[in-house]
Amino acid sequence: MYRFLLTPRWWGINLFAVLAIPLCVFMGTWQLGRFEDRVQSHEQAAKQPAPGARAAKPLDDLLPVDTVTSGRPATATGRYADQFLVPGRELDDKSGFYVLNMLRTDGGKALPVVRGWLPGRPGHTPVPAAPTGEVTVTGDLQASENTGTDGVDTAGGLPDGQLGMISAASLVNLVPYDVYDAWVTLQDTDSSAAAGDSTLRPVPAVAPQGSGLDLKAFQNLGYTGEWFVFAAFVLFMWFRLVRREAEAARDVKLGLVPDTDTDAGTRTA
């Protein structure tokens, strides 16, 4: 009854099922693994102590930035050089901008340092001057921003002295020296001596991308279900086709349905 499974047409159907089902299971398992990795990284991040409770370490000891070192207090010594304003950044639901200065370290490489946040628009709000001379800063380490980071301006066309994205790739075209592929945000802005709108407010460190239960994590979980459902659908359709073909062959054998091949041969003769 099941000899039809060896026909050329069914060889193609069988081959498709044999290849499609393991592929769907593999892709579903891979997506599930991605979701579990995000859950694990989220749990690890939740268990980590607050940045202020951890001892600061030299910058070079924490590079490159990853899910473990992101948010850790880092120290660096140098002199402030170029200053940039980063517009379109919100803090406590208020619009403003970051004040970023390049810290030229003794090795010649520069570290982007966000000294703080100010409300308003660049050019309309007074900006406190950066300290002069050699300074040692301690700030929470952050990875370079990318086009998917909240607040990043990718439209371009910003005035001189403004920056849309805090990243080494953006800064290397604006300064004549090497830049660290990371930046720090100061939590001690020395703003107690300032007053009014020119008071720099510290910018909180953010969790590294891919370490939380964000929309992408649940997308991975949704894709997992889709791949497993598709694998089950392929298996269901294969069994349904086999059953329908077997029933048709049985009906022909019992004479309930005429054999089309035999009838065609009779008419030709």
Side-chain angles (χ1 to χ4, degrees):
M1 182 181 297
Y2 293 96
R3 291 180 180 178
F4 61 85
L5 292 173
L6 301 179
T7 61
R9 181 171 70 91
W10 273 94
W11 268 109
I13 297 175
N14 295 336
L15 181 62
F16 172 79
V18 167
L19 295 179
I21 293 175
L23 175 63
C24 293
V25 172
F26 170 78
M27 292 300 298
T29 304
W30 180 75
Q31 290 288 352
L32 181 61
R34 293 291 302 274
F35 174 74
E36 292 175 343
D37 289 342
R38 290 179 181 274
V39 172
Q40 184 178 6
S41 63
H42 174 71
E43 293 175 347
Q44 291 176 348
K47 293 178 181 178
Q48 290 182 356
R54 290 180 286 184
K57 289 187 176 183
L59 173 66
D60 291 332
D61 293 348
L62 299 175
L63 297 178
V65 185
D66 54 24
T67 56
V68 176
T69 61
S70 179
R72 291 287 302 270
T75 61
T77 301
R79 295 175 180 270
Y80 281 124
D82 298 87
Q83 177 172 283
F84 297 94
L85 306 180
V86 188
R89 301 305 174 103
E90 293 187 355
L91 187 63
D92 295 336
D93 296 328
K94 295 181 180 179
S95 180
F97 58 94
Y98 294 167
V99 179
L100 181 146
N101 284 82
M102 305 300 294
L103 184 73
R104 295 289 304 273
T105 63
D106 294 338
K109 212 169 184 179
L111 172 67
V113 177
V114 173
R115 293 170 46 223
W117 174 91
L118 289 173
R121 293 184 299 167
H124 294 77
T125 303
V127 178
T132 58
E134 187 175 78
V135 296
T136 298
V137 301
T138 300
D140 296 339
L141 188 63
Q142 299 281 262
S144 289
E145 295 181 335
N146 55 56
T147 54
T149 305
D150 291 340
V152 164
D153 183 359
T154 58
L158 294 174
D160 292 339
Q162 295 189 25
L163 185 68
M165 180 168 58
I166 307 174
S167 70
S170 299
L171 287 162
V172 73
N173 298 319
L174 302 176
V175 295
Y177 38 78
D178 293 333
V179 179
Y180 280 103
D181 189 18
W183 57 284
V184 298
T185 171
L186 303 185
Q187 299 308 306
D188 182 7
T189 59
D190 292 331
S191 59
S192 58
D197 289 340
S198 60
T199 300
L200 285 170
R201 295 179 56 185
V203 176
V206 298
Q209 290 187 336
S211 63
L213 295 179
D214 53 7
L215 178 60
K216 291 184 178 180
F218 291 101
Q219 283 179 342
N220 292 136
L221 187 60
Y223 293 149
T224 299
E226 289 180 0
W227 282 112
F228 286 148
V229 167
F230 188 67
F233 177 75
V234 172
L235 185 61
F236 167 77
M237 290 302 299
W238 183 85
F239 274 113
R240 184 177 180 181
L241 290 174
V242 169
R243 182 178 178 181
R244 187 174 65 178
E245 192 83 4
E247 290 176 349
R250 182 195 60 189
D251 292 344
V252 170
K253 185 176 181 180
L254 295 176
L256 300 177
V257 177
D259 189 343
T260 55
D261 293 338
T262 303
D263 290 349
T266 303
R267 287 194 298 269
T268 301

